[in-house]
Amino acid sequence: MSARVLIVDDVPANVRLLQALLEAEYFEVFTAMNGSEALDAVQRVKPDIMLLDVMMPDMSGFEVCRRIKSNPHTRYLPIIMITALDQPEDRIKGFQAGADDYLVKPIDEAALLTRLRALVRFKFLLDELESSIGDELLLDTRLESEEERPARLALLLNREGRDQRLIDWLRGRHNVRLFEDPVMLLDQVRHGTVDMVMLELPLKGHDALRICSQIRSLENGRQLPVILLMEDGHQKELLHALEICASDYLLKPVSLEELEARIRIQLRRWRYIQRLRENVRQSVTYAMVDPLTGLYNRRYMNTHGRAMVEEAGQRGKALSVLVMDLDYFKKVNDTWGHDAGDEVLREVAARLKKQLRRLDVICRIGGEEFAVLLPGADVRMAQQVAERLRRAVAGQPVKITTDDGELDLHITISIGLASFEKKEDTLESLLKRADEALYTAKQQGRNRVVRQKAA
Amino acid sequence: MSARVLIVDDVPANVRLLQALLEAEYFEVFTAMNGSEALDAVQRVKPDIMLLDVMMPDMSGFEVCRRIKSNPHTRYLPIIMITALDQPEDRIKGFQAGADDYLVKPIDEAALLTRLRALVRFKFLLDELESSIGDELLLDTRLESEEERPARLALLLNREGRDQRLIDWLRGRHNVRLFEDPVMLLDQVRHGTVDMVMLELPLKGHDALRICSQIRSLENGRQLPVILLMEDGHQKELLHALEICASDYLLKPVSLEELEARIRIQLRRWRYIQRLRENVRQSVTYAMVDPLTGLYNRRYMNTHGRAMVEEAGQRGKALSVLVMDLDYFKKVNDTWGHDAGDEVLREVAARLKKQLRRLDVICRIGGEEFAVLLPGADVRMAQQVAERLRRAVAGQPVKITTDDGELDLHITISIGLASFEKKEDTLESLLKRADEALYTAKQQGRNRVVRQKAA
């Protein structure tokens, strides 16, 4: 993995040291010597991650970090603060400014590279999701995802020496669930009902790292924030944990201020990813579905239907197509208004859908026009289905609501049918024949099924 | 990183060995003892990657691999073949069966872990993209992406000892471009005009790994196939290369059969990822846009518009909303038909759009109804814009095509205007006031702009 790293430090020797380390690992390195250069470079070189010194002449690293994190366009750029300031207050200040990590000099190289790689992986995932959603919806999605609300925290702690103060504090802010059994915790993660996990390390009677990596091997657990609570002095285990699974860690006794800042950072990321996914999925669904009837739309028909016809052709399987149209629908709209017309369309759509199998595809392809693809159905079978659809509509009146109360309308449909007959048949040729058949059905008096053979 | 690994081998001792290695690295391990168990386990445990032995009693690993790779549902499950068969023919057979990698026993543990991690990362990316696109379009996308066609190959080779046979062979199948200067190659990658890169290692006068990692630090280069051509005996450099950037490698002298199989595997992956991205992006765009006029749709108005109004409220900035409707549009449809009506809508939409700034948002929110959001526009400015829009429509006739030739229609619009006035204003309250104003404009004789103040 390679990435674009921006190093910000006012001491040239420090810059050179980090630069040499990162270039040896084949990262692309950019540098800035003070805060305003840094803000400028963020716009210009678009780094994937930033290593930021705190004490600089023009502007403190805290201020640089705050500015980047308060700008919705750059908010999710990962920032690791690297500083000689080793007091707890400084760490907390760093996290409150929005830093993703805070490392004290002299730098442990392995620790830096581990954290850097993890944050870059996260950044790449965001890039992928953000490029799916496009610029238009990106800022909206960011704003939507940043509401602060209680999260569902799952805790797995040692029974002995429990920090009740910590638990009470969390309970005052979040929905906390204490687990004894890792299997039950994993089950919750699997079902997507957890927003964050806190694990104590070491965990008596269990391998905490195993649990952590099991969380990661679940689809819902891959990006889930997992925070370790541990004692100082387990540097090697910690590194391993951060490498394979942990999102973050806190040393015991836990500072509640630091905990608050770290939880906020983790939750913000998690919620943003969730929100991006949700918006992309919604868009994809929305792009295939007719909002009025809930049936698939013409676009879906054209892409998916084409694949279905090709497959039938290649495998020599039967397939039929129906195109249907409500009879005298304009009269409904003109007499009873568009709302009544919409009611009729929804009811007819529901009746048609109910008559079909799961693998059949029904689409609304125009105002009052529907199409159905029947994979595996030969002419005879398709004729039966079409007849059943016709009766499902004509068989009982459709109720609409008017200003004078409910009203029964007698609605019928005409159906054109075409079956896959020859190797050259395509979705287009089938739809064309079915359309011609539909025209004949209309000519012959409507409320009927007509089939059109290939020429 | 953790993942679900399926180990398939008929010798229990081999299974145990691999299992111990992978579990020590905190992977989740599942096992199968023969081919049919393996095929079954793929469905059941849904592994992220498979380690597959070749010689098994019931079914060879080649056959298992072929079956998995020929099923569109499991085609992109990464498979590493692990076998005692060390002949070139066997390797080639493995790649021709679709294996993603082929390792010979005794296994180099570091090599296995490196390859496994790289393939798992790829699998996770696919999972992310596939879950965006949803089941409905997934198979279509797979089928669409698998067309075999020439790729754009970029080659960076040493001048001395060039394998002309290799170059000629590639030229017969793909669009090959030989580069001397890495900067030019990187430029092509940046612009997304390359489908695959081949680099010689070592590369005289250059650090090939640096070039490779520079490719990876470009957004268009992150998943691009990069194949290394190298001599045997550089195992350590190779591992490093595979860790940081290379997708695959071939030993010189290159076997053309092996090259063909490996190129096919790399290209298939690359094209599938590209196709997934494209389909997701298309869907997202489609979900926001009205297909008839190309303007944004009501859904976009509701999500993006809400964010715009909120922002204006928070920053105390001006914002105005226009709602407009074509006058007597039903008469156009009834007299000249729906196609003519559509022509009118498209032309009016184009004229309106032309009058607006880039940051204004115009949407078609109903049949003949449009809405415009004007960020930064106070009442006075919005009134000027509205007047300009009204004139752009009424000022010159709209041409439609009828059976009797072209025809000029005189079209007008009525416009309702509302501006952000009080802190409690929302998109809904603004649209409501603008709607009321539009109603008044219709009452007062149409072809005019009316403003509605807050109550």
Side-chain angles (χ1 to χ4, degrees), chain A residues 148-206:
Chain A
E148 297 213 356
R149 57 199 147 83
R152 294 163 300 178
L153 300 194
L155 270 57
L156 196 61
L157 307 175
N158 285 317
R159 206 178 256 284
E160 273 169 51
R162 255 191 203 169
D163 186 346
Q164 195 57 44
R165 178 197 56 126
L166 171 84
I167 296 173
D168 291 343
W169 185 91
L170 288 172
R171 284 214 162 114
R173 280 151 191 82
H174 297 284
N175 302 322
V176 175
R177 213 171 140 190
L178 276 166
F179 286 85
E180 302 281 335
D181 181 356
V183 175
M184 288 182 65
L185 187 153
L186 287 167
D187 216 51
Q188 295 294 314
V189 172
R190 183 177 296 113
H191 289 99
T193 55
V194 175
D195 296 313
M196 178 180 286
V197 173
M198 285 195 195
L199 282 179
E200 200 160 343
L201 180 77
L203 193 63
K204 225 178 161 183
H206 296 289

Side-chain angles (χ1 to χ4, degrees), chain B residues 111-305:
Chain B
L112 173 61
L113 289 173
T114 301
R115 299 303 277 160
L116 192 134
R117 290 206 175 96
L119 288 169
V120 165
R121 272 201 292 275
F122 163 76
K123 166 69 162 51
F124 284 179
L125 172 66
L126 276 197
D127 285 350
E128 190 67 46
L129 286 166
E130 290 182 345
S131 82
S132 299
I133 207 164
D135 291 342
E136 288 98 334
L137 288 180
L138 195 53
L139 278 185
D140 302 348
T141 308
R142 292 200 164 179
L143 293 171
E144 281 167 7
S145 66
E146 298 198 348
E147 195 193 324
E148 296 212 357
R149 57 199 146 84
R152 295 163 299 179
L153 301 194
L155 269 57
L156 198 60
L157 306 175
N158 286 317
R159 205 178 258 283
E160 275 170 50
R162 258 192 202 167
D163 185 346
Q164 196 57 44
R165 177 198 56 127
L166 171 83
I167 296 173
D168 292 342
W169 185 90
L170 288 172
R171 283 214 163 114
R173 281 151 190 83
H174 298 283
N175 302 321
V176 175
R177 215 173 139 189
L178 277 166
F179 287 84
E180 302 279 336
D181 181 356
V183 175
M184 287 183 65
L185 188 154
L186 287 167
D187 217 49
Q188 295 296 314
V189 173
R190 184 178 295 112
H191 290 100
T193 55
V194 174
D195 296 314
M196 179 179 286
V197 174
M198 284 194 197
L199 283 177
E200 198 161 343
L201 181 77
L203 192 64
K204 225 179 162 185
H206 295 289
D207 180 344
L209 286 198
R210 180 78 56 204
I211 297 167
C212 186
S213 72
Q214 281 170 335
I215 292 173
R216 290 284 176 251
S217 76
L218 297 172
E219 220 170 315
N220 280 327
R222 284 192 196 149
Q223 265 71 45
L224 189 70
V226 178
I227 297 185
L228 299 180
L229 305 180
M230 55 187 299
E231 266 151 37
D232 205 355
H234 294 75
Q235 191 60 17
K236 221 179 134 184
E237 269 166 285
L238 174 62
L239 266 191
H240 198 180
L242 290 171
E243 229 176 88
I244 59 171
C245 54
S247 321
D248 205 349
Y249 69 98
L250 282 149
L251 295 182
K252 292 188 285 189
V254 170
S255 143
L256 294 179
E257 266 184 300
E258 183 174 344
L259 180 67
E260 182 168 29
R262 290 199 166 204
I263 288 181
R264 185 180 304 123
I265 292 163
Q266 292 292 331
L267 276 182
R268 188 199 271 171
R269 273 195 219 159
W270 166 250
R271 285 179 168 155
Y272 182 45
I273 288 186
Q274 298 290 90
R275 193 74 202 160
L276 277 171
R277 284 179 176 150
E278 216 172 284
N279 278 2
V280 172
R281 273 176 222 174
Q282 266 182 9
S283 292
V284 171
T285 309
Y286 190 92
M288 298 189 298
V289 170
D290 164 48
L292 179 69
T293 60
L295 301 182
Y296 288 117
N297 60 16
R298 177 181 278 279
R299 177 177 184 244
Y300 181 77
M301 176 79 173
N302 287 341
T303 60
H304 192 69

Side-chain angles (χ1 to χ4, degrees), chain A residues 201-202 209 228 230 233-243:
Chain A
L201 180 77
L209 286 199
L228 299 180
M230 55 186 301
H234 294 75
Q235 191 61 15
K236 220 178 132 186
E237 269 166 283
L238 175 61
L239 266 192
H240 197 182
L242 290 171
E243 229 175 271

Side-chain angles (χ1 to χ4, degrees), chain A residues 1-4 22-28 48 72 117 121 123-125 127-129 131-134 136-137 140 143-144 190 207 209-214 216-219 222-223 240 243-245 273 275 277 279-288 296-300 303-308 310-311 315 330 334, chain B residues 1-4 22-28 48 72 117 121 123-125 127-129 131-134 136-137 140 143-144 190 207-214 216-219 222-223 240 243-245 273 277 279-288 296-300 303-308 310-311 315 330 334:
Chain A
M1 184 172 53
S2 182
R4 302 161 77 81
L22 294 177
E23 286 188 344
E25 295 293 324
Y26 289 93
F27 287 98
E28 284 288 283
D48 296 311
R117 289 205 176 98
R121 272 200 292 275
K123 166 69 162 49
F124 284 179
L125 171 65
D127 285 349
E128 189 66 47
L129 286 167
S131 80
S132 300
I133 206 163
E136 288 100 335
L137 288 179
D140 302 348
L143 292 171
E144 279 167 9
R190 183 177 296 113
D207 180 346
L209 286 199
R210 181 78 55 202
I211 297 168
C212 185
S213 73
Q214 282 169 334
R216 290 286 175 250
S217 77
L218 297 172
E219 219 169 319
R222 283 191 197 151
Q223 263 72 43
H240 197 182
E243 229 175 271
I244 58 172
C245 54
I273 288 186
R275 193 74 200 163
R277 286 180 175 150
N279 278 3
V280 173
R281 273 175 222 174
Q282 268 180 10
S283 293
V284 171
T285 309
Y286 191 91
M288 300 187 298
Y296 287 117
N297 60 17
R298 178 182 277 278
R299 177 179 184 242
Y300 181 77
T303 61
H304 192 68
R306 192 163 42 88
M308 281 171 81
E310 268 174 32
E311 211 198 335
R315 302 201 182 182
K330 197 168 151 13
D334 290 352
Chain B
M1 185 172 54
S2 182
R4 303 160 78 82
L22 294 176
E23 286 188 343
E25 294 294 322
Y26 289 94
F27 287 99
E28 285 286 285
D48 297 310
R117 290 206 175 96
R121 272 201 292 275
K123 166 69 162 51
F124 284 179
L125 172 66
D127 285 350
E128 190 67 46
L129 286 166
S131 82
S132 299
I133 207 164
E136 288 98 334
L137 288 180
D140 302 348
L143 293 171
E144 281 167 7
R190 184 178 295 112
D207 180 344
L209 286 198
R210 180 78 56 204
I211 297 167
C212 186
S213 72
Q214 281 170 335
R216 290 284 176 251
S217 76
L218 297 172
E219 220 170 315
R222 284 192 196 149
Q223 265 71 45
H240 198 180
E243 229 176 88
I244 59 171
C245 54
I273 288 186
R277 284 179 176 150
N279 278 2
V280 172
R281 273 176 222 174
Q282 266 182 9
S283 292
V284 171
T285 309
Y286 190 92
M288 298 189 298
Y296 288 117
N297 60 16
R298 177 181 278 279
R299 177 177 184 244
Y300 181 77
T303 60
H304 192 69
R306 192 162 44 88
M308 282 171 81
E310 267 174 33
E311 210 197 335
R315 302 200 181 183
K330 195 170 153 11
D334 290 351

Side-chain angles (χ1 to χ4, degrees), chain B residues 406-417:
Chain B
E406 281 206 343
L407 204 78
D408 277 353
L409 297 185
H410 182 58
I411 303 288
T412 61
I413 55 172
S414 301
I415 303 181
L417 186 166

